[in-house]
């Protein structure tokens, strides 16, 4: 390949800019011309792309979000949408695309690749639910943001002797919830991977009160069978005498903001550089990820067929500590 394009798609994730920068700079070093596409697959369909040089990606590695913009694009799921995108790429002589994103984005990447247009994927989502990479760009920073919020909530919860129910993102994956519960020292947590035992959580809260704790933290992953508001209401309904007063905080998109930490800057840089190298070598049809600390490539078919699961030993650890 001599000309490639790079795009970011789906939910933005801190570290995407590091990946864009590495695709561009490593791509240029490999002799490629690199185009940046605005707002993901939508920009591809609408032909919104331009050549990027080394300076265009200067000063972005420390910033969260994505300098290219991102989008969710239902039209790209249609054959017509993909054909339009391919026509836009062909008209510029572009021979390959690097797609930086999570599950939905890599599904789009795979469909473009299957339609005959070479694509290399880069694993990026705060949810860390993408098969083919132990860790994805943005997950670590999102965890740090969630933890900082929990540390703050503990302060006010302690002052008022309250329970803070904190809802974190993650779609239908409990990774952020579980890791936040462990690292945030939560008393209880609810995740989509198992049914929420409301009475058990109420018991934990009540025990915390009785043994003189000043507060309790309950982490609720957004995909759990009760959201944080519903869980608080259910606890109050079933057990009006848990001791503490309850308050709900929904962190939401706050977790997607913030500047990337060192892990996401390094991960984005390593993934992006690898993706450019693969394109320069004429390879495609794979997702760039990390396995056992090393860069790996997983064919799209395997990525889409696979399901990433939570580490059962971490689940056990969280249960053990959350008391
Ligand atoms: O996939 C990342 C994510 O932040 C999920 O955790 C969340 O469910 C979703 O995106 C929110 O999507 P949107 O930004 O479109 O509201």
């Amino acid at each position: 390949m001599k000309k490639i394009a790079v795009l970011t798609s789906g939910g933005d994730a801190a570290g995407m800019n590091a990946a864009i920068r590495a695709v561009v700079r490593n791509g240029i070093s490999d002799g490629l011309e690199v185009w940046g596409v605005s707002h993901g697959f939508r920009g591809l369909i609408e032909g919104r792309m331009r050549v990027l040089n080394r300076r265009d990606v200067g000063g972005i590695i420390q910033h969260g979000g994505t300098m290219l913009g991102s989008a969710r694009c239902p039209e790209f799921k249609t054959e017509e949408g993909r054909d339009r995108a391919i026509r836009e790429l062909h008209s510029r002589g572009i021979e390959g695309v690097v797609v930086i994103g999570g599950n939905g984005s890599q599904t789009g990447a795979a469909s473009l690749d299957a339609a005959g247009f070479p694509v290399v994927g880069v694993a990026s989502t705060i949810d860390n639910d993408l098969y083919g990479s132990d860790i994805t760009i943005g997950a670590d920073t999102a965890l740090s943001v969630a933890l900082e919020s929990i540390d703050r909530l503990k302060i006010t919860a302690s002052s008022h002797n309250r329970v803070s129910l904190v809802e974190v993102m993650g779609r239908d994956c409990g990774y952020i919830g579980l890791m936040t519960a462990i690292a945030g020292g939560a008393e209880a947590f609810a995740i989509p991977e198992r049914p929420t035992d409301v009475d058990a959580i109420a018991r934990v809260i009540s025990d915390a009160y009785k043994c003189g704790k000043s507060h309790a933290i309950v982490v609720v992953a957004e995909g759990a069978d009760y959201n944080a508001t519903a869980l608080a209401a259910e606890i109050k309904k079933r057990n009006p005498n848990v001791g503490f007063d309850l308050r709900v905080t929904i962190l939401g998109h706050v977790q997607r903001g913030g500047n990337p930490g060192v892990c996401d800057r390094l991960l984005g840089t390593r993934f992006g550089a690898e993706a450019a190298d693969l394109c320069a070598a004429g390879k495609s049809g794979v997702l760039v990820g990390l396995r056992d600390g090393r860069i790996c490539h997983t064919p799209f078919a395997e990525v889409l067929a696979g399901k990433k699961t939570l580490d059962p030993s971490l689940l056990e650890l969280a249960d053990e500590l959350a008391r």
Side-chain angles (χ1 to χ4, degrees):
M1 293 179 206
K2 284 288 163 213
K3 280 191 196 183
I4 64 166
V6 56
L7 64 84
T8 48
S9 164
D12 62 329
M16 278 181 159
N17 279 327
I20 296 166
R21 174 178 178 270
V23 170
V24 171
R25 292 199 173 168
N26 214 36
I28 291 171
S29 298
D30 288 340
L32 299 172
E33 183 174 284
V34 186
W35 291 59
V37 183
S38 294
H39 295 96
F41 292 118
R42 174 163 310 292
L44 214 51
I45 290 173
E46 293 169 0
R48 287 195 278 150
M49 49 193 110
R50 67 186 172 104
V51 175
L52 296 175
N53 62 43
R54 298 181 75 90
R55 291 301 340 131
D56 290 325
V57 291
I60 63 168
I61 195 169
Q62 70 274 30
H63 295 310
T66 158
M67 68 159 291
L68 291 173
S70 191
R72 303 197 191 276
C73 178
E75 201 186 338
F76 197 73
K77 292 183 181 153
T78 67
E79 203 179 322
E80 199 195 331
R82 285 194 295 274
D83 287 348
R84 273 184 68 189
I86 292 173
R87 277 199 300 279
E88 292 292 342
L89 290 160
H90 279 156
S91 71
R92 292 165 177 84
I94 296 170
E95 300 157 285
V97 181
V98 175
V99 173
I100 303 169
N103 265 314
S105 309
Q106 299 310 333
T107 303
S111 65
L112 189 59
D113 195 76
F117 198 91
V119 183
V120 172
V122 167
S124 173
T125 163
I126 67 161
D127 301 336
N128 196 28
D129 60 347
L130 186 57
Y131 186 87
S133 193
D134 292 344
I135 187 79
T136 51
I137 296 169
D140 184 73
T141 304
L143 283 177
S144 298
V145 173
L147 283 173
E148 195 197 325
S149 306
I150 286 180
D151 291 345
R152 286 170 188 249
L153 286 168
K154 277 183 179 178
I155 294 170
T156 169
S158 289
S159 306
H160 289 268
N161 291 143
R162 285 173 175 161
V163 172
S164 239
L165 291 100
V166 190
E167 187 171 307
V168 297
M169 276 189 164
R171 206 179 289 274
D172 48 12
C173 171
Y175 177 82
I176 297 180
L178 177 62
M179 302 306 270
T180 309
I182 296 174
E187 272 68 21
F189 61 96
I191 53 175
E193 284 77 1
R194 63 185 189 188
T196 304
D197 187 340
V198 180
D199 292 324
I201 294 178
R203 246 186 337 268
V204 168
I205 293 173
S206 168
D207 289 350
Y209 185 77
K210 283 183 199 145
C211 80
K213 284 195 181 182
S214 61
H215 71 274
I217 297 288
V218 179
V219 174
V220 184
E222 69 173 338
D225 47 9
Y226 289 86
N227 63 33
T229 309
L231 182 58
E234 193 62 23
I235 291 170
K236 276 189 211 162
K237 193 173 103 191
R238 292 196 207 176
N239 309 70
N241 302 317
V242 284
F244 294 113
D245 204 4
L246 272 55
R247 288 289 187 275
V248 171
T249 302
I250 298 170
L251 293 186
H253 291 83
V254 167
Q255 289 152 102
R256 295 234 299 260
N259 294 328
V262 63
C263 291
D264 286 321
R265 293 187 201 196
L266 290 174
L267 205 59
T269 301
R270 292 174 75 191
F271 284 5
E274 182 72 8
D277 284 349
L278 284 175
C279 291
K283 295 186 184 148
S284 59
V286 294
L287 175 79
V288 175
L290 196 76
R291 190 166 296 136
D292 299 328
R294 290 178 183 278
I295 299 286
C296 64
H297 313 140
T298 309
F300 282 134
E302 217 179 295
V303 172
L304 300 192
K307 178 153 175 54
K308 195 167 183 179
T309 51
L310 294 179
D311 179 343
S313 69
L314 288 178
L315 206 48
E316 211 176 296
L317 180 64
D319 282 333
E320 186 56 39
L321 297 177
R323 281 184 196 157

